[in-house]
Amino acid sequence: MNYRSPVYNVQPIHYSKIQANHYNPNQVAPPELKLLEKSIWEDGYTQPIVCYQLEETIQESTCYEIVDGFHRYTVMKKSKRIREREKGMLPVVTLQKDLSNRIASTIRHNRARGSHDIQLMTEIVAELTDSGMSDQWIMKNIGMEPDELLRLKQISGLASLFAENEFSILNQKNQYT
């Protein structure tokens, strides 16, 4: 198989055609966001925004949803000097994956770099479970250990998240089976 990494197909896309996703649990504090703006000003965009290409919209313009790079995108939106210098264009690579795999990609990108909001991670686990992803799939694809997945499910308080788990029940001799 001749695999070609997406980074070899970087395209300039106007930031107005890009939108955030609803599942990114990564947060950056204001000082770090300011540092990112300085880095982009001093060094330019050195990494592309990873996106999924959405279907044609009513305006017949193609739009993209961010898989990774939300904060670089945010800098473009908020920094007039960078937006003017870059003419509103962001370097973009696209992934062709279904929603569950895009969520997994976002988490993998983020976990390699920083920390996550626990509540949002809990919501992601719930969404993936509700969409039919097994515990094994979740652990494999977003890099979780079994105890971490269990803790996030416990935090959620949603009984439906435990449907896949087998629990011991007390038998008639008061022993666990």
Side-chain angles (χ1 to χ4, degrees), residues 24-58:
N24 188 353
N26 197 24
Q27 296 183 355
V28 173
E32 283 77 18
L33 196 59
K34 187 173 182 173
L35 182 59
L36 179 60
E37 195 271 347
K38 179 175 178 49
S39 173
I40 292 170
W41 180 251
E42 296 293 328
D43 305 322
Y45 278 92
T46 59
Q47 296 181 9
I49 310 300
V50 180
C51 292
Y52 170 75
Q53 189 170 351
L54 299 168
E55 300 295 323
E56 295 279 332
T57 62
I58 295 171

Side-chain angles (χ1 to χ4, degrees), residues 129-143:
T129 301
D130 288 346
S131 70
M133 298 299 116
S134 69
D135 286 354
Q136 290 300 320
W137 188 96
I138 293 169
M139 289 184 295
K140 176 184 173 196
N141 286 285
I142 63 176

